[in-house]
Amino acid sequence: LAKTTQPISMDSYEGQEVNITCSHNNIATNDYITWYQQFPSQGPRFIIQGYKTKVTNEVASLFIPADRKSSTLSLPRVSLSDTAVYYCPGGYQKVTFGTGTKLQVIP
Amino acid sequence: DAGVIQSPRHEVTEMGQEVTLRCKPISGHNSLFWYRQTMMRGLELLIYFNNNVPIDDSGMPEDRFSAKMPNASFSTLKIQPSEPRDSAVYFCASSPGTPLFSSGANVLTFGAGSRLTVL
């Protein structure tokens, strides 16, 4: 089972860069790494994917080292609206999410 | 595209009653997932389907839970009889599918969820 591990919670002040790291110890060779964001009373929403090195889109950056045993989601200059739960699910067909990382952005 | 559509959005029922949650996946998506979310256990995968066929139901907590996908555009999750510990938010998600030799992530699109309260 492709299980991932991430911190339960993080706090950050507005305007700071936030990095959330996930461990992917059982990642399969062909699996891509994905991250999702969930706001209260909504379903999770896909935000970024990658296989190796660095990927950047309008929302976040994703850093994946060569051994692919971990990944880091980077949110630049967070605002209050970035307060959410962030997930790095494991698996490709059987996609498992877990408890995620609850990010609280403080004014 | 209307996205993944779930109904009802909220359901309050009494212990022992039957509950049926419904899901309409995104047209053209071949995989469908049912998840349950609680504060204590996070987002748990209950069951997933590929091309309307149940592939893995190992997350279904008990025989009281059952899921069906009679066609590509509809799925149900049934709890009979319901118990207070079943109270949770149930999410349905769909994805384009899982080809054998794939490139890229299996990106899921979630519905808004069905909040179930069993009294």
Side-chain angles (χ1 to χ4, degrees):
Chain A
L1 181 65
K3 188 176 179 181
T4 60
T5 304
Q6 53 184 126
I8 293 175
S9 64
M10 294 181 71
D11 291 338
S12 177
Y13 287 101
E14 271 191 299
Q16 290 189 329
E17 178 184 78
V18 171
N19 296 311
I20 306 173
T21 298
C22 177
S23 296
H24 305 264
N25 288 323
N26 296 327
I27 190 168
T29 302
N30 294 330
D31 282 359
Y32 274 61
I33 291 172
T34 57
W35 283 80
Y36 290 73
Q37 175 190 55
Q38 184 180 25
F39 297 115
S41 301
Q42 296 184 23
R45 178 180 72 108
F46 168 79
I47 52 175
I48 198 166
Q49 65 165 301
Y51 186 80
K52 267 186 183 177
T53 63
K54 177 184 175 181
V55 178
T56 296
N57 62 20
E58 66 279 4
V59 176
S61 294
L62 179 59
F63 300 89
I64 303 170
D67 66 4
R68 299 190 349 106
K69 296 298 185 183
S70 66
S71 67
T72 298
L73 177 73
S74 182
L75 304 173
R77 298 178 297 282
V78 294
S79 64
L80 296 177
S81 63
D82 293 316
T83 294
V85 179
Y86 294 82
Y87 299 91
C88 56
Y92 184 79
Q93 291 196 56
K94 184 174 181 177
V95 184
T96 56
F97 280 75
T99 56
T101 298
K102 186 174 183 179
L103 172 66
Q104 181 68 52
V105 180
I106 306 164
Chain B
D1 193 337
V4 176
I5 300 173
Q6 292 188 244
S7 65
R9 289 296 312 277
H10 301 275
E11 172 103 4
V12 180
T13 190
E14 293 188 347
M15 183 174 62
Q17 297 298 305
E18 178 179 291
V19 173
T20 300
L21 307 178
R22 299 172 177 81
C23 176
K24 177 178 170 56
I26 291 174
S27 177
H29 278 190
N30 296 323
S31 294
L32 183 138
F33 305 77
W34 282 101
Y35 291 88
R36 176 173 69 175
Q37 186 170 44
T38 60
M39 288 290 291
M40 291 297 295
R41 300 174 70 90
L43 199 56
E44 302 174 274
L45 176 63
L46 301 178
I47 185 172
Y48 75 95
F49 297 81
N50 278 349
N51 296 315
N52 313 337
V53 177
I55 303 300
D56 190 322
D57 65 355
S58 59
M60 297 285 261
E62 299 172 32
D63 290 345
R64 299 183 295 106
F65 286 70
S66 63
K68 294 182 179 179
M69 191 164 187
N71 58 61
S73 59
F74 184 66
S75 177
T76 60
L77 178 67
K78 187 174 292 187
I79 308 172
Q80 167 61 21
S82 59
E83 296 182 3
R85 59 188 167 137
D86 301 330
S87 297
V89 180
Y90 291 81
F91 288 102
C92 175
S94 68
S95 73
T98 56
L100 188 58
F101 299 104
S102 61
S103 177
N106 183 20
V107 176
L108 277 61
T109 301
F110 282 77
S114 295
R115 180 176 294 277
L116 172 65
T117 302
V118 183
L119 303 175

